[in-house]
Amino acid sequence: GFALPPPVQMPQCTWGGLDEKVSEPLLWELFLQAGPVLWKLCLGVIAGYGFVEFLSEEDADYAIKIMNMIKLYGKPIRGEQSLGPQQNLDVGANIFIGNLDPEIDEKLLYDTFSAFGVILQTPKIMRDPDTGNSKGYAFINFASFDASDAAIEAMNGQYLCNRPITVSYAFKKDSKGERHGSAAERLLAAQNPLSQADRPHQLFADAPPPPSVPTPVVTTLGPGVTPPGG
């Protein structure tokens, strides 16, 4: 019996105490400034927490030392090593993308699909172990079914690098043809705090803009003189 090697678990850091204005691009820029670019990808900013994956324990420790001295929007950020997202965050909103152009890389997939919601891990493009060439399909793990539903609806059949891609729910591991996205999974996800944290993206996108508050008029008239209409 041929056994597959266990997946490599990258050390991961969770950054807490983030201001609501902190975005993924901002964290990414900050890490670029902090030192050698050895981390893989910013995995998302969810409810005041950022997730970043590193190539080694040393890189993670180095980043924690550097970043813990920094304030963002006046708030100190706190970094600590955490478990991988599959062990504690996965809600099952996992999609399969097929018919990918071989030139498409993980960053392009991340940039394209993160528009629909928080992605928990670097998109996984299946590659030939000898050549490293893409096999033409990939998996993406979202933090909520709202995000994965939106991605499937918007992207299935769309052209990416001159090829129409197929987007559907991935098959569950070790299951007999059962796909993710079942009613039972959705019920469990509804009770998962991570899934809840991802939901406001959808609501805010559809909500009308808040009514503008009129600016109070400041007058420079002398005391005892009432402004017109006052």
Side-chain angles (χ1 to χ4, degrees):
F2 175 72
L4 288 171
V8 177
Q9 184 67 57
M10 299 288 185
Q12 196 172 80
C13 291
T14 303
W15 307 93
L18 300 180
D19 189 273
E20 60 188 14
K21 294 190 282 293
V22 174
S23 63
E24 287 169 51
L26 179 63
L27 264 193
W28 179 240
E29 286 296 321
L30 204 56
F31 278 102
L32 289 180
Q33 305 296 322
V37 187
L38 293 176
W39 37 86
K40 286 178 68 184
L41 200 58
C42 205
L43 299 179
V45 177
I46 308 165
Y49 288 88
F51 302 94
V52 182
E53 200 170 74
F54 294 85
L55 295 181
S56 73
E57 298 281 341
E58 291 77 26
D59 295 339
D61 289 341
Y62 172 79
I64 287 172
K65 280 179 192 159
I66 296 290
M67 301 292 278
N68 281 7
M69 296 188 279
I70 291 174
K71 284 187 178 182
L72 276 180
Y73 296 106
K75 292 184 180 177
I77 63 176
R78 303 181 307 276
E80 59 184 37
Q81 287 218 36
S82 57
L83 297 170
Q86 289 299 54
Q87 296 165 11
N88 57 356
L89 300 179
D90 186 11
V91 297
N94 305 334
I95 64 173
F96 169 85
I97 303 162
N99 200 34
L100 282 178
D101 185 283
E103 297 302 310
I104 290 173
D105 64 5
E106 286 82 358
K107 186 172 189 317
L108 177 64
L109 275 188
Y110 181 86
D111 290 345
T112 303
F113 281 87
S114 60
F116 300 101
V118 173
I119 292 175
L120 289 178
Q121 282 191 308
T122 311
K124 189 175 182 64
I125 295 176
M126 304 314 288
R127 296 181 179 277
D128 184 293
D130 298 322
T131 64
N133 293 337
S134 167
K135 292 183 177 180
Y137 62 97
F139 298 92
I140 291 183
N141 186 354
F142 280 104
S144 74
F145 283 102
D146 286 351
S148 53
D149 287 344
I152 291 171
E153 191 177 335
M155 295 302 295
N156 186 35
Q158 293 293 323
Y159 279 78
L160 205 58
C161 290
N162 302 316
R163 274 199 200 180
I165 60 172
T166 62
V167 187
S168 60
Y169 276 105
F171 285 108
K172 291 183 183 179
K173 285 178 184 166
D174 308 323
S175 76
K176 297 181 177 65
E178 190 185 350
R179 289 184 186 272
H180 283 287
S182 65
E185 259 191 333
R186 288 167 184 270
L187 201 61
L188 287 170
Q191 297 158 24
N192 185 310
L194 185 85
S195 178
Q196 302 292 330
D198 190 32
R199 196 157 293 162
H201 290 289
Q202 304 290 333
L203 297 177
F204 292 149
D206 300 334
S212 57
V213 179
T215 312
V217 179
V218 178
T219 61
T220 53
L221 298 173
V225 181
T226 54

